[in-house]
């Protein structure tokens, strides 16, 4: 089974950019559909995470309306990694960002679909 580890989070000013990386280990990421989710500030630990974007095994992508045109999800199977390029960041993008994987060709927007999760990385956007 695959293990996932996020990196690249940090603090940035409004309008800035960050790129998150999700590194896979223990298995080839190529056989997994992948996604980025986030947990917003103040959300209780048991609350659902908000889907940000997903990518299937053929690199077809989907984005939440709130990030469309600003974020780009991609995968590099040779590097066993997935990325989230975030531009024109807003205060409301502040969250803990998680990567997720499911052993399926098809991703969904439902966090319960995913079997494997990273530990999360904090993104803070301030004015």
């Amino acid at each position: 089974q695959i293990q996932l580890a996020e990196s690249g989070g940090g603090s940035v000013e409004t309008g800035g950019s960050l790129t998150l990386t999700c590194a896979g280990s223990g298995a080839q990421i190529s056989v997994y559909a992948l996604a980025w989710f986030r947990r917003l500030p103040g959300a209780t630990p048991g609350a659902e995470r908000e889907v940000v974007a997903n990518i299937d095994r053929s690199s077809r992508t989907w984005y939440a309306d709130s990030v469309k045109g600003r974020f780009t999800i991609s995968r590099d199977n040779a590097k066993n990694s997935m990325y989230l390029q975030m531009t024109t960041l807003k205060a409301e993008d502040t969250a803990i960002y998680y990567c997720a994987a499911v052993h399926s060709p098809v991703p969904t927007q439902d966090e319960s679909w995913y079997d494997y999760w990273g530990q999360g990385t904090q993104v803070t956007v301030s004015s």
Side-chain angles (χ1 to χ4, degrees):
Q1 64 184 36
I2 196 165
Q3 291 83 49
L4 303 173
E6 304 93 339
S7 61
S11 296
V12 64
E13 292 186 349
T14 302
S17 301
L18 282 174
T19 296
L20 305 183
T21 298
C22 175
S25 62
Q28 290 301 309
I29 207 168
S30 57
V31 301
Y32 293 84
L34 306 167
W36 288 98
F37 286 79
R38 63 188 182 187
R39 177 166 281 135
L40 300 178
T44 58
E48 280 193 4
R49 285 170 277 209
E50 175 182 284
V51 64
V52 176
N54 62 45
I55 186 166
D56 72 8
R57 296 201 302 210
S58 299
S59 293
R60 287 181 290 245
T61 59
W62 174 91
Y63 297 93
D65 287 344
S66 59
V67 306
K68 201 172 293 182
R70 300 188 298 121
F71 290 11
T72 302
I73 188 172
S74 61
R75 63 193 300 161
D76 186 336
N77 292 335
K79 295 184 178 180
N80 224 34
S81 295
M82 172 179 65
Y83 308 97
L84 186 67
Q85 295 176 279
M86 305 185 293
T87 64
T88 320
L89 282 161
K90 305 175 181 180
E92 51 264 42
D93 295 318
T94 295
I96 301 172
Y97 284 73
Y98 299 86
C99 63
V102 60
H103 196 267
S104 166
V106 179
T108 73
Q109 288 78 58
D110 184 354
E111 67 169 334
S112 67
W113 180 246
Y114 297 87
D115 299 314
Y116 307 101
W117 292 84
Q119 80 287 352
T121 186
Q122 176 71 49
V123 171
T124 302
V125 185
S126 57
S127 56

